[in-house]
Amino acid sequence: MARVFSGIQPSGGMHLGNLLGALRNWAAYQSEHEAVYCVVDLHALTTAPDPAELREHTLAAAALLMSAGIDPERSTLFVQSSVGEHAELAWMMECTVGFGELRRMTQFKDKADRSDFVSAGLFTYPALQAADILLYDTDLVPVGDDQRQHIELCRDIAERFNHRYGDTFTVPAHVIPETGARVMDLQNPTDKMSKSLESAGTVAILEEAAAVARKFKRAVTDSENEVRYDPVAKPGVSNLLGILASASGRTPQAVAGEYTQYGPLKADTADAVNSLLDPIRNRYAELSSDPAEVARLLAAGADKARTTAAATLKRAQTNAGLLPRPPLAPSS
Ligand code: AMP
Ligand code: TRP
């Protein structure tokens, strides 16, 4: 059975882009694949979040993934820092990736431009991401379009390591959905929807239905009055078409053929999105009232993850010439 791995940062306010670009597809993979999903709290440390918030967001992210259909019984769902092998393999990845390769990453350039303090961790972020993926002999990595470059770099790292040290890692491929891979901000439709940019243009998964409807009603379109799918000339309208298409399992072109006015398009998009979000919001309300149960499920997930991760790390260390780890001295 092919293995699938993906990760998401535990920052607050997961949004519609995360759902359509990633989470929905993660849930779909569980039936015919061995799925491993991770809340990547070590990646979040690259921007020094408040400790109390990080703790809260990590549990909330896990509860949200479960609410969005990731079943901890069928998948392996865990928190990255609970499995020490991620940080350990990341060092070997940093010694495999080139400085020049990391410097070309557009996500690094974007984030660095927006920050006063740029940590070394923000720079080496893709090396940790490669460790996440390679530890599980991953075949497929379902992500939104913004992660394409990171997954391609992960492939290059795996191939370089295998070339240097002999066959060690499975070389993974990304899977990017045809619609929903790049949900844009409703107010600034040339920027992608994002949780780090606070904006009336971001639709949070847990936002109330009425607020979601209001945001779609106020979505920026253009001064023409023609419904047509053309992301370059008509980014706002095309974003709505893409969201409705993704939420209803059609193509944006087919959806465009059904509308002549912006008002009904906005209203139907809001309705389709609210139908997707309703069950998630309801399950989240139940799960978040029992954080101990969420923590218990995560601990069981970490246990499952560790078995595979430990075997892969050992293989990588042995192949690279590190000595076997001596057993712990018996305590006196
Ligand atoms: P992040 O929130 O950056 O940890 O991203 C988690 C997942 O959501 C990744 O697979 C991203 O590619 C995906 N994602 C984030 N923002 C968007 C967006 N605006 N449209 C589609 N997918 C997105
Ligand atoms: N960098 C990814 C993002 O910002 C999150 C992530 C970390 C990830 N490790 C991963 C995604 C491994 C896929 C596979 O969205």
Side-chain angles (χ1 to χ4, degrees):
M1 206 167 12
R3 186 168 293 152
V4 169
F5 180 96
S6 203
I8 189 160
Q9 286 206 47
S11 17
M14 270 191 218
H15 56 78
L16 185 62
N18 295 136
L19 183 67
L20 298 182
L23 303 187
R24 221 160 49 120
N25 310 310
W26 297 10
Y29 272 113
Q30 298 174 114
S31 44
E32 284 167 27
H33 295 78
E34 197 178 327
V36 183
Y37 299 124
C38 183
V39 179
V40 294
D41 57 346
L42 297 175
H43 278 107
L45 284 184
T46 55
T47 53
D50 173 76
E53 273 181 18
L54 179 59
R55 265 190 292 275
E56 187 188 318
H57 289 164
T58 301
L59 277 180
L64 194 69
L65 296 188
M66 293 176 200
S67 309
I70 289 155
D71 175 355
E73 306 284 328
R74 282 197 291 162
S75 310
T76 301
L77 175 62
F78 68 104
V79 174
Q80 188 184 32
S81 64
S82 304
V83 180
E85 283 78 0
H86 288 247
E88 240 179 299
L89 185 64
W91 175 252
M92 302 183 81
M93 302 291 96
E94 286 178 37
C95 297
T96 310
V97 71
F99 181 83
E101 287 170 315
L102 290 176
R103 205 170 37 185
R104 282 195 290 278
M105 293 293 113
T106 56
Q107 188 165 310
F108 170 71
K109 288 191 267 187
D110 290 349
K111 288 192 183 174
D113 283 347
R114 285 190 272 118
S115 319
D116 299 329
F117 175 75
V118 179
S119 67
L122 190 66
F123 187 64
T124 58
Y125 181 116
L128 177 58
Q129 182 164 352
D132 297 341
I133 297 168
L134 300 181
L135 275 176
Y136 299 93
D137 296 324
T138 302
D139 301 294
L140 301 173
V141 189
V143 282
D145 190 62
D146 60 359
Q147 294 302 310
R148 184 188 297 271
Q149 204 185 22
H150 286 165
I151 313 304
E152 281 167 2
L153 183 58
C154 172
R155 287 175 62 88
D156 293 343
I157 295 175
E159 280 167 359
R160 187 172 303 142
F161 196 101
N162 288 347
H163 183 72
R164 272 188 194 165
Y165 302 120
D167 204 21
T168 308
F169 297 122
T170 301
V171 180
H174 50 57
V175 205
I176 295 169
E178 276 180 30
T179 57
R182 205 169 160 76
V183 176
M184 308 307 278
D185 186 282
L186 299 185
Q187 290 298 319
N188 302 301
T190 50
D191 291 341
K192 70 173 185 185
M193 188 177 284
S194 136
K195 53 193 163 192
S196 50
L197 305 172
E198 291 220 343
S199 155
T202 294
V203 173
I205 295 177
L206 296 176
E207 203 158 345
E208 283 181 10
V212 172
R214 229 174 5 254
K215 285 190 172 173
F216 277 105
K217 198 166 178 185
R218 293 183 191 150
V220 165
T221 46
D222 54 47
S223 56
E224 291 179 10
N225 220 340
E226 188 195 357
V227 178
R228 173 161 59 85
Y229 187 69
D230 181 345
V232 176
K234 295 173 77 71
V237 175
S238 301
N239 188 35
L240 294 173
L241 290 169
I243 292 171
L244 179 51
S246 170
S248 59
R250 288 176 292 168
T251 66
Q253 290 81 0
V255 174
E258 291 170 20
Y259 294 89
T260 52
Q261 287 177 310
Y262 295 166
L265 169 63
K266 288 178 172 182
D268 287 359
T269 307
D271 286 347
V273 166
N274 271 326
S275 324
L276 276 185
L277 300 185
D278 270 337
I280 302 179
R281 289 186 285 239
N282 293 339
R283 279 197 295 267
Y284 185 83
E286 284 170 32
L287 268 172
S288 58
S289 66
D290 194 356
E293 173 64 3
V294 174
R296 189 191 68 76
L297 291 166
L298 288 173
D303 248 8
K304 269 198 271 178
R306 217 171 275 133
T307 311
T308 313
T312 315
L313 176 67
K314 196 165 176 191
R315 190 165 73 232
Q317 289 172 327
T318 305
N319 291 357
L322 300 176
L323 293 182
R325 193 168 297 185
L328 288 177
S331 51
S332 48

